Amino acid sequence: MSVCCSATTSHRCLKKIALAATLCVASVAVLAIHHTKTSGIMARIHHGLILCASNTGAQNIAQAATISSMDRPGMIRFGLTSGADGQVAVEPGSSTLATVLNTASHSNTLLMLDLHGADPKEVASEVSKAHMRDRVIFVPADYKSTAAALKADSKVMVAIPINSERDAYNAHRMAGRHPYAAYLSPSAAPSLFSLVHRDAEAIITDSPSTKISTADFLANRPVDIVITHQPYQLTTSLAVPPSTVTHSE
C-alpha cells in the first residue's frame, strides 16, 4: 500500500516539475519576443528616426546608448576585416566583431556593418550567436558581396545602394522576400526616396549638406536612418521632435 502511494506521489511530483519547467520556458520565450519587438530595427524605426554614428571607433557604442537615452535610437557603423587569426575584426581599432556584438547587445545598440573583405557567412554566424539578427544591417561592398550577404542569413537586413529607378527595381527583385534597406544619396530626388519607400523595409541616407536644414530635408523625404559623423550636432539641429517626423505610407 505504501509503495502504491509513493509511486502516485512521485508521479504527481514529476507532473508538477514538468509544468514548472514548461512555464519557465514559456516565460523566457515571451521575454525574448518582447525584447525583439522593442529592440529590433523595425521597432526602433516605428518609434522615430535612427541616428547612426559613422565608423568612429568601438568606444562610441557607449555614446550611441546615450543618444538612445535622449529618445533617439542609437546605431553605430563599423567596417569589418578578416584578422590574421581568422577572426572577424572591427575597424578602426583591434576589437573582434564578437566583442563589439556583445557590447552592443548589452547596451541595446543597433549596428551597421560594412562587410568589406569579411566573409558574409562568418559575419552572419557571429551575429546569430550574439542574438543580434534583428539589430544589425549588412552593408556589402559590391554586387557580388550583396548576393552573398542576402544568402548568408535570411533575417539580417541588407543595405542595397540605389541611385536610380532602375536600381530600385533591381534591388527589389534581387532581395525577393529578404528584408532589405535602400541606401540613397542625400542628393537623390525626393521622388526616388518615395519610390523605394514602397518596397524597402528601411531607407538609409547620409546627413545632408549644411546648405539645407535637416528638418526640411526629412520633411520632404521618408528617411528611417541617417548616417552622420556628428550625431550630437545632428540631434540638436533637428528643430522638430522625433514624433513629428512622419514617413509616407
Side-chain angles (χ1 to χ4, degrees):
M1 183 70 177
S2 61
V3 173
C4 291
C5 289
S6 178
T8 301
T9 302
S10 298
H11 183 66
R12 288 175 179 173
C13 287
L14 288 173
K15 288 180 67 176
K16 289 181 179 179
I17 292 172
L19 178 59
T22 300
L23 290 174
C24 287
V25 172
S27 298
V28 171
V30 169
L31 288 174
I33 292 172
H34 175 73
H35 180 73
T36 296
K37 287 183 176 181
T38 57
S39 301
I41 292 172
M42 297 310 297
R44 301 285 192 91
I45 288 173
H46 177 74
H47 289 291
L49 182 70
I50 297 176
L51 297 187
C52 179
S54 179
N55 221 18
T56 51
Q59 70 276 10
N60 281 303
I61 288 180
Q63 294 180 7
T66 303
I67 298 173
S68 296
S69 68
M70 296 166 62
D71 295 326
R72 285 191 175 279
M75 175 179 276
I76 303 292
R77 182 177 184 175
F78 291 117
L80 302 182
T81 184
S82 295
D85 56 358
Q87 289 187 309
V88 180
V90 171
E91 297 177 322
S94 57
S95 299
T96 64
L97 174 60
T99 300
V100 172
L101 286 168
N102 182 63
T103 303
S105 177
H106 285 87
S107 63
N108 205 27
T109 304
L110 305 176
L111 295 178
M112 188 179 296
L113 303 176
D114 287 288
L115 297 177
H116 295 316
D119 184 348
K121 288 185 178 180
E122 292 183 13
V123 177
S125 177
E126 294 288 351
V127 170
S128 181
K129 289 177 185 177
H131 305 289
M132 290 277 289
R133 297 169 75 197
D134 65 322
R135 294 167 58 189
V136 167
I137 296 178
F138 288 164
V139 183
D142 50 34
Y143 181 87
K144 183 178 179 180
S145 180
T146 299
L150 290 168
K151 292 180 180 179
D153 192 304
S154 62
K155 299 297 183 181
V156 178
M157 189 176 293
V158 176
I160 303 178
I162 293 175
N163 299 302
S164 65
E165 289 188 17
R166 182 177 180 179
D167 285 347
Y169 293 125
N170 287 338
H172 182 60
R173 176 184 54 80
M174 186 178 188
R177 296 184 178 181
H178 194 291
Y180 76 99
Y183 192 168
L184 280 72
S185 165
S187 62
S191 58
L192 186 57
F193 278 84
S194 298
L195 174 66
V196 298
H197 184 256
R198 295 201 297 259
D199 297 319
E201 275 71 22
I203 297 180
I204 304 171
T205 192
D206 297 294
S207 56
S209 67
T210 55
K211 295 179 180 180
I212 181 174
S213 161
T214 303
D216 290 340
F217 176 85
L218 295 174
N220 295 317
R221 297 163 181 82
V223 176
D224 300 300
I225 302 171
V226 176
I227 302 171
T228 175
H229 290 286
Q230 300 177 319
Y232 296 113
Q233 287 84 343
L234 183 58
T235 299
T236 56
S237 71
L238 291 175
V240 293
S243 59
T244 64
V245 178
T246 58
H247 304 309
S248 309
E249 295 298 334

